[in-house]
Amino acid sequence: MSDAAVTLLGIRHHGPGSARAVAAALERLRPDVVLIEGPPEADAVVGLAAEPGMVPPVALLAHAVDDPAQAAFWPFAAFSPEWVAIRYALDQGVPVRFIDLPAAYGLAAGAEVPGGTSAPDGRAPEAPDGEGALAHDPIGQLAAAAGHADSESWWEDVVEHRAPPADPGADALAPFAAVAEAMTALRERAGTSRRDELREAYMRQAVRAARRAKYARIAVVCGAWHVPALSVMPTVAHDRALLAELPKKVKTEITWVPWTHRRLSQHTGYGAGIDSPGWYHHLFANGASGEGSSGGGSRALAHWMTRVAELLRAEDHPVSSAHVIEAVRLAETLAAMRGRPLAGLAETLDAVRSVMCDGSEVALALVQDRLVVGDALGEVPESAPTVPLQRDLSRLQRSLRLRPEPDPRELDLDLRKENDTARSQLLHRLRLLGVDWGSPARSTVNSTGTFRESWRLRWQPEFAVRIAVAAQWGTTVEAAATGRAVERAARATALPQLTELVEHCLLAGLPAALPAVMRALADRAALDTDVAQLAEALPALVRALRYGDVRGTDSAALEGVARGLADRICVGLPPACVGLDAEQAAALRGHLESVHAAIGLLETDEPPRAAEPADSSADSLGERWAATLRSLARRQPPAQAGTGAAGTGTGAGVPGLLRGRATRLLLDGGRIDSVEAGQRLGLALSHGNQPADTAGWVEGFLAGSGVLLLHDPALLGLLDRWLSGVPAEAFTDVLPLLRRTFAALEAGVRRTVGERVAAGALGGTAAGAGSGEPPAELDIERADAALPVLTLLLGLSPSSTPATATAVARIPRQTDRRSAG
């Protein structure tokens, strides 16, 4: 394991027992230089580990300068043996060097760098090609040879729970000698991969360089799997021949970034495969020990149980001091029964489940998530090298008081406040850059105003890579988001993509990006003839106009594009509804409803025309849209297409779903009255129409609310008589459509409709039947009594209150636009 100058300390990455053993070995060896498995590029920044602002867990981040997306991490926790070795060397003023294969080679190959994000046993997470189970999981094989099915519990017993002997004369290197002997035997059976051969050849070259530098005592801290390859040195020519296979280096940059315990626990991506980092940190920080420790293990166990009790109490679980004492006793008893030197994680969790959680797996899952794994987030000093974009983001985080945290938290913003508006813009800009620090969430505040936003924040370590990638578009967050928006506009191939991008630019406060995005939007809108795409694009533009008003942005050009799209939809929608199947009609119905809502908002802001009387709106956008809906509602059903009935303007057929929906939108908007709606329903329910098309008309008409059937018995009577007359052979086809229609209605409406139908004698001569009889005369005196309440509910000033109830019928038409805005 060792020669006259070199001592090999084979470790398990991120193992607290290995970390304590390394600390004891270095204290005994007092080396002149410390060599550590890791990328040599990190030699330039390793000194930052000694600065006060460096708090693990942290990670080394290396990325290619020309392609920042090619990146790799090397994470370190407080209990990582490599971190212990780094801190020892820096504290003692001893040179420290990284000796693994440079990151520049792995980044040149476009793959994860060898040595980065290693698994707990010191090997890469992926099994090398051609290797068996021995090479992939040597710790598991050693555990199996010792009769343990669980490699984690075996490693805890033989390493983690056995601290270095307290006797100063004891051999601190004995554990490393035993591990090296075991790994040598395993490698003889398993062989090695080409990847490991390249890494180990480079490590040997680094050891030779340290020897040539005349260091008397050299300590090498590396994964235990590599110790046999470094203990026997082949010729220099042999290693040079291996390294000649490496690809050409690429220019790289490296720095420190914060890391989290949760990320350490992940076995994929940039994780390290540590199942219980929070538990390991506790063992390392509280000196869990076994032989010669004078009860240190019991103290660590008692401290852990106390933390569990504090967590459960905070979550309203009744846990007392007696529970803590009993849980410690049970864990120690379980360890003795299972023949373990100390209570491990398995015994600890079994005791917590039985004593503190009353057998509840839900409470135990909370302990595992918060304590066994944990969300500890590291810190790096401000002097650590970063890209300018990262420095600007850090500045904004401090000025806006938005601290990056690994725990999810809710953030409610009031856009009427300057600081909250700036926070909102920052989060929207980062989303444009692919850094989803915040995601929109449902507001916890009972408000529907456009001045409020709610976010769910959670910082993730890999955002450091995305920020490095985004640095290509600018050196500040605003400049980078602007550059990214302009690039996305140039590459957009569909109109909805551009309207969504315009909305993002307004939300993010990027006025410099809007001209380029608006030009692309205008060009695409002028060429796009697909009514469905136009209808999909319009709502996003209208939403952008609403937020633009709240945020005080100039959106005049955007309003012009939105009105142009609305006009084109008014012209092109009726022909686009012809000849559709059921699936296409359902999709277009959604577009119809969203366009109706969007035009209602646009009409709210439409200024009156000076050349027209105040009550004239024949050329308004709202009237043009109403004319489109009337044209759509008058179209013939598909079965009658080609008959050329008078008043339709064309003989082509439109599905009943769309005709019924257009009729309902006209009724809700006050464009037609209940008499005309009843007449249209009567025509649609004519037995001359196909039952399936009629059922579609009913679905479109009743969608959203079936209260109409309760307020107008004639409509319900028409529907009941039609349904009773559907032929038996067609009833099975109609039934699924009707069930879907009525299932979407409110439960109270369904119940009341059923009761009225069961009672019989539904009205058939009311206004809805189109009999021509006038509706019941309005009681003016009773209606006037309700005016003060209506005035208060609708937010009208007392001076604008109509003098009589004759004007009440006009109030919804005059105020629905205000309430919609």
Side-chain angles (χ1 to χ4, degrees):
M1 183 199 66
S2 156
D3 60 20
V6 180
T7 301
L8 303 176
L9 304 178
I11 52 93
R12 186 192 194 197
H13 297 300
H14 315 298
S18 289
R20 290 192 298 269
V22 166
L26 293 177
E27 284 292 340
R28 175 187 170 182
L29 290 171
R30 297 289 177 177
D32 299 315
V33 65
V34 178
L35 307 182
I36 300 174
E37 180 183 334
E41 293 93 339
D43 291 347
V45 297
V46 70
L48 296 173
E51 294 195 8
M54 183 73 78
V55 180
V58 293
L60 288 168
L61 164 62
H63 65 86
V65 174
D66 296 334
D67 185 8
Q70 294 293 334
F73 292 92
W74 286 260
F76 300 93
F79 52 82
S80 299
E82 299 95 331
W83 181 258
V84 170
I86 291 172
R87 289 306 310 266
Y88 170 85
L90 295 176
D91 292 343
Q92 299 297 323
V94 175
V96 57
R97 303 283 185 271
F98 289 96
I99 61 171
D100 203 351
L101 203 64
Y105 289 122
L107 296 177
E112 188 177 329
V113 180
T117 60
S118 298
D121 56 6
R123 301 190 48 72
E126 305 85 11
D129 295 338
E131 290 192 50
L134 287 178
H136 181 50
D137 185 15
I139 298 297
Q141 294 302 312
L142 290 176
H148 283 247
D150 182 7
S151 61
E152 288 293 324
S153 63
W154 176 82
W155 184 262
E156 280 190 345
D157 289 350
V158 300
V159 177
E160 305 303 342
H161 291 164
R162 300 184 184 277
D167 183 4
D171 186 4
L173 301 180
F176 297 103
V179 171
E181 182 180 358
M183 291 300 169
T184 300
L186 287 177
R187 286 180 66 112
E188 289 175 354
R189 295 182 58 190
T192 57
S193 67
R194 198 62 171 175
R195 165 175 154 159
D196 278 341
E197 290 177 354
L198 291 172
R199 296 176 61 196
E200 291 160 357
Y202 197 92
M203 292 182 193
R204 289 192 292 265
Q205 293 284 57
V207 172
R208 294 187 183 102
R211 282 177 168 174
R212 290 194 300 270
K214 304 300 183 182
Y215 290 113
R217 297 181 300 277
I218 303 172
V220 179
V221 180
C222 63
W225 181 258
H226 305 300
V227 169
L230 302 184
S231 60
V232 179
M233 291 279 188
T235 63
V236 175
H238 173 271
D239 288 343
R240 287 178 177 174
L242 281 176
L243 296 176
E245 301 177 9
L246 292 172
K248 184 180 178 180
K249 287 185 178 181
V250 297
K251 187 177 180 181
T252 61
E253 291 181 350
I254 196 165
T255 187
W256 292 99
V257 295
W259 209 247
T260 66
H261 277 175
R262 189 168 302 279
R263 188 60 59 183
L264 282 171
S265 69
Q266 294 185 354
H267 289 260
T268 58
Y270 292 119
I274 305 299
D275 293 329
S276 51
W279 168 254
Y280 275 4
H281 181 82
H282 173 81
L283 292 180
F284 182 74
N286 292 277
S289 56
E291 299 171 359
S293 62
S294 185
S298 296
R299 289 193 300 271
L301 180 59
H303 186 199
W304 175 264
M305 291 299 185
T306 303
R307 293 179 59 197
V308 172
E310 292 174 351
L311 172 63
L312 293 177
R313 287 171 189 156
E315 298 296 330
D316 296 329
H317 291 272
V319 179
S320 66
S321 300
H323 286 90
V324 175
I325 296 171
E326 187 59 32
V328 171
R329 289 176 178 173
L330 179 57
E332 291 176 339
T333 302
L334 289 173
M337 293 176 59
R338 297 171 182 176
R340 306 193 65 182
L342 282 178
L345 181 60
E347 289 73 29
T348 301
L349 292 181
D350 286 344
V352 169
R353 179 192 294 108
S354 299
V355 178
M356 297 185 181
C357 300
D358 295 326
S360 171
E361 293 293 337
V362 175
L364 184 66
L366 179 68
V367 174
Q368 290 176 314
D369 182 70
R370 300 280 186 85
L371 295 182
V372 177
V373 176
D375 277 312
L377 175 64
E379 298 178 8
V380 298
E382 295 183 2
S383 56
T386 59
V387 295
L389 179 60
Q390 177 65 66
R391 289 195 293 270
D392 183 62
L393 175 57
S394 300
R395 177 187 63 81
L396 291 171
Q397 288 170 336
R398 290 192 300 270
S399 64
L400 298 177
R401 297 186 297 279
L402 277 178
R403 180 182 175 84
E405 296 176 349
D407 294 325
R409 70 183 183 98
E410 304 297 327
L411 178 67
D412 287 317
L413 300 178
D414 186 342
L415 300 181
R416 297 170 297 184
K417 300 178 181 179
E418 182 178 354
N419 190 67
D420 281 4
T421 299
R423 287 177 170 184
S424 172
Q425 290 177 345
L426 173 62
L427 294 174
H428 281 293
R429 289 169 182 175
L430 290 176
R431 282 173 62 82
L432 270 173
L433 296 175
V435 182
D436 295 327
W437 179 17
S439 56
R442 177 181 290 273
S443 176
T444 57
V445 180
N446 190 18
S447 172
T448 58
T450 58
F451 61 84
R452 187 172 298 281
E453 276 187 354
S454 292
W455 296 83
R456 184 176 178 84
L457 303 184
R458 186 172 189 176
W459 186 262
Q460 301 181 36
E462 57 264 31
F463 288 160
V465 174
R466 300 182 188 178
I467 292 171
V469 173
Q472 62 184 297
W473 294 300
T475 57
T476 66
V477 175
E478 181 178 1
T482 298
R484 176 60 171 154
V486 171
E487 183 193 52
R488 285 181 56 182
R491 295 184 178 182
T493 58
L495 188 59
Q497 294 175 345
L498 287 168
T499 56
E500 181 183 4
L501 184 57
V502 169
E503 185 178 10
H504 284 175
C505 288
L506 287 174
L507 295 175
L510 300 175
L514 276 176
V517 178
M518 290 300 301
R519 283 196 300 271
L521 174 62
D523 293 343
R524 174 63 60 179
L527 298 175
D528 205 327
T529 58
D530 188 339
V531 173
Q533 288 217 353
L534 296 176
E536 186 179 354
L538 182 62
L541 290 181
V542 175
R543 287 195 304 269
L545 280 170
R546 292 184 73 197
Y547 277 96
D549 292 340
V550 172
R551 295 163 186 267
T553 57
D554 183 9
S555 53
L558 182 61
E559 184 175 0
V561 175
R563 292 188 179 278
L565 286 181
D567 286 335
R568 294 178 60 190
I569 292 171
C570 290
V571 174
L573 183 62
C577 294
V578 173
L580 302 180
D581 59 23
E583 183 176 352
Q584 293 170 332
L588 201 55
R589 171 198 151 188
H591 293 318
L592 183 69
E593 293 171 343
S594 60
V595 169
H596 180 76
I599 290 180
L601 294 174
L602 278 176
E603 188 185 14
T604 301
D605 299 327
E606 189 170 23
R609 298 174 183 271
E612 297 178 352
D615 59 350
S616 174
S617 57
D619 197 31
S620 69
L621 178 59
E623 286 296 331
R624 293 195 295 275
W625 175 245
T628 300
L629 292 178
R630 290 192 184 96
S631 173
L632 190 61
R634 289 197 302 264
R635 297 275 181 149
Q636 294 183 2
Q640 298 178 2
T643 60
T648 61
T650 177
V654 171
L657 179 68
L658 298 178
R659 302 192 332 270
R661 196 60 192 153
T663 302
R664 177 61 181 273
L665 294 177
L666 288 169
L667 177 63
D668 289 346
R671 303 292 182 176
I672 61 175
D673 54 22
S674 60
V675 175
E676 184 175 351
Q679 292 173 345
R680 293 182 183 275
L681 175 61
L683 291 174
L685 298 181
S686 169
H687 288 288
N689 297 328
Q690 293 292 331
D693 185 74
T694 300
W697 197 101
V698 172
E699 179 182 0
F701 185 73
L702 296 180
S705 175
V707 180
L708 281 172
L709 297 178
L710 304 182
H711 290 295
D712 196 334
L715 295 181
L716 182 57
L718 284 172
L719 182 60
D720 181 58
R721 286 193 297 276
W722 167 77
L723 184 57
S724 300
V726 174
E729 61 274 11
F731 185 78
T732 54
D733 296 332
V734 173
L735 182 60
L737 299 177
L738 292 175
R739 291 192 63 178
R740 181 175 64 189
T741 299
F742 282 91
L745 302 182
E746 303 89 335
V749 171
R750 293 200 305 270
R751 182 177 60 254
T752 306
V753 167
E755 292 172 351
R756 293 190 178 181
V757 172
L762 294 172
T765 60
S771 62
E773 295 183 9
E777 185 177 354
L778 181 65
D779 189 335
I780 301 298
E781 183 177 353
R782 292 180 62 191
D784 283 342
L787 287 179
V789 177
L790 285 175
T791 301
L792 178 62
L793 292 176
L794 298 175
L796 299 176
S797 63
S799 60
S800 64
T801 304
T804 67
T806 307
V808 172
R810 293 199 301 269
I811 291 178
R813 297 182 60 184
Q814 295 168 348
T815 60
D816 60 351
R817 301 172 185 174
R818 294 182 54 187
S819 61

